[in-house]
Amino acid sequence: NPAKIVLVHGEATEMGRMKSALQRRFENEGKSIEIFNPKNCQTVSMEFKVDKEVRAVGKLADSVVLKDGERVSGLLVQKGFKHTLLDPKDLQTYTQLSAGTVTQKQVIPVEIPFLSLSDQVASIFSKVELKEGKGGKQVIVIDPGVELHSEDDKVVVMQWRSDPITDTIADSVVAVLMQLQMKPSLGRAETGVPYRVMKSLAADSGERDEKTGEKKLQSPEAGLIDEVLESIFGKVQQDAKKGEWIVSVGDVTASIDMRTHAVQCKDDRVKSQIRVAIKRIVQALYPIDCGC
């Protein structure tokens, strides 16, 4: 015996008569049945009360032993009143569905060096890594999967697999790049040091040592960098002919260009520590970039 009856495709008056006749009949039999006679294009909503059960299948069922109150995570697939919980990798095995991904690319113009862009991104996001991509070009990787590829000096290609998290990160990166485009004074040199500080060091006339005849830098920035590097890494030597600071950390030796602050070192860990130290010194000297 049906619990609900829907009358369709009939003349309105005759449908009303049939509805009344059916109601009288079922009432005489002591049955309670809901009868609908909707107009054309009218929506009919019916509530079905059933016990919802979820069946775990595949790898998920093999790997999980559930206890009362314990949570389990998986992909829930509903077909009619049937619910199936499975591992996303089993989707094609147990259903006729297939998973797909959307990879997005965006070409963004930039006016700052790529390493400077890496510093800017690293100051915002906690997990940023600089890698070497195809053809030796550098790639900035932002966890969980946004990549910035260096195409040339003025173009960056951002690539990511679309999902709510990576889409948000991509939007934030675009906002940062647009801000840098609007405010050129925020530009940095390849090591993240403001251009005006590099110019200050490069223009320093210095003085020559009476014994060796070698030239020494006298700018406050250069002196402070020398002192702080020495307090962190030990004795720092100056090679005036090459215009470099020489830092030794155990068996590892690194050279720092006095003009550009570029660091040359075979040990990536020591190289990164020196770059961070120089950057922080300059940020302490110039907490607000006035663009001067």
Side-chain angles (χ1 to χ4, degrees):
N1 295 323
K4 303 177 188 293
I5 296 176
V6 181
L7 304 176
V8 294
H9 302 304
E11 195 273 327
T13 303
E14 294 301 323
M15 284 176 62
R17 291 176 181 175
M18 180 175 285
K19 178 179 179 180
S20 298
L22 289 172
Q23 285 176 333
R24 287 194 299 269
R25 174 183 171 181
F26 288 114
E27 286 174 0
N28 293 335
E29 294 177 1
K31 298 176 181 177
S32 177
I33 294 180
E34 195 172 3
I35 302 174
F36 302 89
N37 58 331
K39 297 178 180 180
N40 290 339
C41 300
Q42 181 181 346
T43 301
V44 177
S45 299
M46 290 177 278
E47 183 179 354
F48 295 89
K49 295 182 179 180
V50 295
D51 294 331
K52 291 184 179 180
E53 295 183 355
V54 179
R55 185 168 62 97
V57 298
K59 298 176 182 177
L60 189 65
D62 295 337
S63 61
V64 176
V65 179
L66 290 179
K67 300 178 182 178
D68 289 342
E70 186 176 351
R71 294 184 179 181
V72 61
S73 177
L75 184 63
L76 182 65
V77 180
Q78 178 181 350
K79 184 177 181 181
F81 297 104
K82 182 181 178 182
H83 297 77
T84 305
L85 189 67
L86 45 78
D87 188 289
K89 296 179 181 178
D90 290 334
L91 184 63
Q92 286 184 293
T93 304
Y94 292 93
T95 71
Q96 296 180 342
L97 303 173
S98 59
T101 58
V102 177
T103 300
Q104 299 196 55
K105 287 185 178 181
Q106 186 170 352
V107 178
I108 307 171
V110 295
E111 296 291 340
I112 62 174
F114 194 72
L115 286 178
S116 175
L117 174 59
S118 176
D119 289 336
Q120 294 286 347
V121 172
S123 68
I124 300 172
F125 303 100
S126 58
K127 295 182 180 179
V128 178
E129 188 175 358
L130 187 63
K131 294 183 177 181
E132 186 173 319
K134 295 181 180 179
K137 294 183 177 180
Q138 292 179 314
V139 181
I140 302 171
V141 181
I142 308 170
D143 190 66
V146 178
E147 297 180 354
L148 292 170
H149 296 259
S150 174
E151 291 297 311
D152 54 47
D153 293 340
K154 294 190 176 182
V155 173
V156 167
V157 175
M158 183 167 62
Q159 178 176 315
W160 73 99
R161 285 190 176 182
S162 188
D163 64 48
I165 296 176
T166 53
D167 286 350
T168 302
I169 293 175
D171 288 343
S172 301
V173 172
V174 171
V176 171
L177 293 176
M178 293 301 99
Q179 186 75 4
L180 291 174
Q181 296 288 79
M182 294 170 61
K183 296 183 179 180
S185 63
L186 295 178
R188 295 292 190 267
E190 290 188 353
T191 53
V193 179
Y195 281 121
R196 55 192 164 77
V197 176
M198 289 170 51
K199 289 178 180 178
S200 172
L201 292 174
D204 185 6
S205 58
E207 63 178 15
R208 296 189 179 276
D209 187 277
E210 294 181 358
K211 295 182 180 179
T212 62
E214 292 182 347
K215 192 176 179 181
K216 293 185 178 181
L217 292 177
Q218 293 297 309
S219 71
E221 293 93 343
L224 184 59
I225 290 174
D226 195 305
E227 289 181 17
V228 175
L229 288 177
E230 197 164 295
S231 68
I232 298 173
F233 302 104
K235 186 170 178 58
V236 177
Q237 297 178 338
Q238 287 189 19
D239 188 333
K241 292 181 180 179
K242 294 182 178 180
E244 294 178 342
W245 285 294
I246 307 299
V247 178
S248 297
V249 182
D251 298 331
V252 180
T253 301
S255 62
I256 307 165
D257 191 292
M258 291 180 179
R259 286 193 59 195
T260 65
H261 297 169
V263 181
Q264 299 294 329
C265 182
K266 294 182 178 180
D267 190 307
D268 291 337
R269 184 179 61 84
V270 174
K271 181 178 180 179
S272 176
Q273 289 176 344
I274 294 173
R275 286 189 61 197
V276 170
I278 293 176
K279 181 180 176 182
R280 288 177 178 172
I281 293 168
V282 175
Q283 286 178 337
L285 284 169
Y286 300 95
I288 299 177
D289 195 326
C290 60
C292 52

